Structures are given as structure tokens and as C-alpha cells.
Amino acid sequence: YAMLLSLIFLIVLVAAVVGFVFRHEIKTNFESNLNLALKDYNVTADRHSEAVDTIQRTLHCCGVQNYSDWERTEYFSQRGIPRSCCKREDDCSENDLKDPNKAKLKVFVDGCFFLVTSTMEAKMSVVAGISFGIACFQLIGIILACCLSRYITNNQYEMV
């Protein structure tokens, strides 16, 4: 049991170190995937499009760097900026969303990439604290399992 807990502890430790060391690559990968999701955005029930809409509605952002990122997409040429960027749903018309100058007043102008990464970094201390707490419980479990094993081994010869 102690060996199993030690293995799990090491796996979690390696994952934390790898996540910390490669955090910049994770950000770059996220940015490129968000750009691809914008490029391939459509109104069908595509999970990438739903994810973009959810991010934009939840974080009150639009596009990757800013709302003008949508101007380089095929979706913009057909329908304009998506409704998930609107500050108020009832105030956005399709004509407003097709005109970047009018849309600037009706949609969130901040990009989602900075907001997502800053939100993740802000929550990292909570994640690190919870992970540290779990690691402490694992170490306590390892120590107790070793003590139990030693106790059983020492007392094995006294049984009659």
C-alpha cells in the first residue's frame, strides 16, 4: 500500500513540475487552438464553437486578442461577430454585428486569451494549495502504512 501511494505521489509531483516548466508552451498552444476555433467557428452544434461561445459569455470577452479578430474569419463575412460577444443580447442586431465600427459599441472589446490566462493564473494558488494538502495526506498515508508494516513484521514471531 505504501508503494502504491508513493507511486501516485510521484506521478502527481511529476505532473506538477511538468505543468510548471511547460506553462508557456501550454499558453501558446491554447492561443493557437483558440485562433483555430475562431477560424472554424460556425453556428452548428460544433463543440469548439460552443466552447468559444461559453468562454466569450462567461468572461465577457470577444476574439483572441480583441473583437477585431473576428474580421479575419469566414463567419464574419457571412454573419458578422457572434452574438456571444454582445454586451446585451437584445441590443445587438445582425447589421450592428457586421459593421466593426458599430459593433465596437455593442460587443466586449477585450480579447479572451488574456482573460483566460489571467483567470487561470489567479486560480493557480488555490489549485496549488489543494494539491499540497492532498500530497500531505498521501505522505501521512505512506508513513502510517510503513509503520503498520513494521509493527506487523516485529510482532509476527510473538504469536502462539
Side-chain angles (χ1 to χ4, degrees), residues 88-127:
R88 290 183 22 205
E89 286 280 333
D90 58 343
D91 192 28
C92 281
S93 68
E94 195 169 320
N95 290 332
D96 291 340
L97 295 174
K98 285 185 176 180
D99 182 9
N101 295 324
K102 290 181 185 177
K104 184 177 184 178
L105 303 171
K106 309 258 180 178
V107 300
F108 303 111
V109 292
D110 296 329
C112 294
F113 175 71
F114 175 73
L115 288 173
V116 168
T117 54
S118 63
T119 301
M120 284 174 41
E121 287 172 358
K123 304 294 183 193
M124 276 301 175
S125 60
V126 174
V127 171

Side-chain angles (χ1 to χ4, degrees), residues 71-95:
E71 294 175 34
R72 296 185 296 273
T73 64
E74 186 178 319
Y75 182 83
F76 181 81
S77 61
Q78 297 169 357
R79 298 196 175 169
I81 297 172
R83 296 187 81 67
S84 60
C85 284
C86 293
K87 292 178 183 175
R88 290 183 22 205
E89 286 280 333
D90 58 343
D91 192 28
C92 281
S93 68
E94 195 169 320
N95 290 332

Side-chain angles (χ1 to χ4, degrees), residues 42-50:
N42 56 23
V43 290
T44 60
D46 179 35
R47 62 189 174 117
H48 298 289
S49 301
E50 290 175 13

Side-chain angles (χ1 to χ4, degrees), residues 12-26 124:
V12 169
L13 184 66
V14 167
V17 169
V18 167
F20 180 75
V21 169
F22 293 111
R23 67 185 181 277
H24 299 295
E25 286 80 5
I26 293 169
M124 276 301 175

